[in-house]
Amino acid sequence: MGKIQGEGDYESAKKFDDDEAAFAKSDRVDRAARDAEPQTQAEADEMTKAEEIGKSRSKGEDASAKRGSRVSDKPVSGAK
């Protein structure tokens, strides 16, 4: 039986971050983006509808998304 892993599993988090960075630097990003494009007008309509539903539940744009950067790993002042 394998090791139980959950929140705070630093080894898995580091592997995920490393794999994500390698993917972002690879030539696979453009191909993945093209593969994700809708193939039919029905798919495009479905994606638009899903996006609208998601946005309707949103509290608004994430400020870090507008800057194009990730949220800092630094603790908030006063946080322990």
Side-chain angles (χ1 to χ4, degrees):
M1 189 167 182
K3 175 181 164 186
I4 297 175
Q5 298 179 339
E7 290 186 49
D9 178 4
Y10 300 117
E11 184 178 330
S12 293
K14 180 169 179 2
K15 180 179 179 343
F16 175 83
D17 287 345
D18 292 346
D19 290 348
E20 184 180 51
F23 177 77
K25 292 177 184 176
S26 75
D27 64 343
R28 298 177 296 166
V29 175
D30 289 333
R31 183 179 37 178
R34 282 191 305 275
D35 290 346
E37 290 178 350
Q39 301 300 309
T40 65
Q41 186 59 47
E43 282 183 7
D45 294 344
E46 184 179 350
M47 291 172 80
T48 300
K49 182 178 178 181
E51 183 178 13
E52 290 170 358
I53 291 169
K55 284 182 177 180
S56 74
R57 297 176 183 166
S58 170
K59 293 181 181 179
E61 289 289 326
D62 180 359
S64 66
K66 290 181 182 177
R67 290 191 308 266
S69 64
R70 294 179 61 170
V71 175
S72 173
D73 292 331
K74 295 178 184 176
V76 175
S77 178
K80 304 244 179 201

